[in-house]
Amino acid sequence: QVAQDLGKVEEKKQERLNHLVKAIEGMKPLEAANLLAVQEPDLAVMVFEKLPTEKLSKIFNLMEKEVSARLQKHFLNRSK
């Protein structure tokens, strides 16, 4: 029962994440960059993992350089 409940919680979390990713994909790159720059790094990275590479590169390019570099490092370290 506990495992089922945890599975349902994780499933709902993934549904919400997918919904967020779709919303961000629909934004202009500058709007997405501004939004993701102020999110918790772990959440931003989860979104990055689901975005198309072309959109992600535009977002990184439009962020302040320090923020972009910090989030890229977080993204790379998480991918290991």
Side-chain angles (χ1 to χ4, degrees):
Q1 180 64 31
V2 173
Q4 280 182 327
D5 290 344
L6 289 175
K8 288 179 184 179
V9 168
E10 186 60 31
E11 185 178 318
K12 280 291 193 187
K13 184 177 175 183
Q14 285 301 314
E15 286 176 16
R16 288 191 302 268
L17 178 61
N18 290 337
H19 185 74
L20 177 61
V21 169
K22 285 184 181 193
I24 290 171
E25 283 180 323
M27 293 178 176
K28 293 179 181 178
L30 181 58
E31 293 170 345
N34 289 336
L35 175 70
L36 291 168
V38 298
Q39 294 299 320
E40 291 292 325
D42 288 337
L43 176 59
V45 167
M46 287 189 285
V47 171
F48 296 161
E49 290 172 345
K50 293 180 174 275
L51 287 174
T53 304
E54 184 177 328
K55 178 90 173 192
L56 182 57
S57 66
K58 289 178 183 178
I59 290 170
F60 278 141
N61 190 47
L62 291 168
M63 287 180 174
E64 291 181 22
K65 299 302 179 212
E66 295 82 15
V67 173
S68 179
R70 179 176 44 83
L71 289 173
Q72 288 178 52
K73 183 177 179 181
H74 196 78
F75 179 59
L76 291 172
N77 288 337
R78 180 177 164 101
S79 297
K80 289 182 181 178

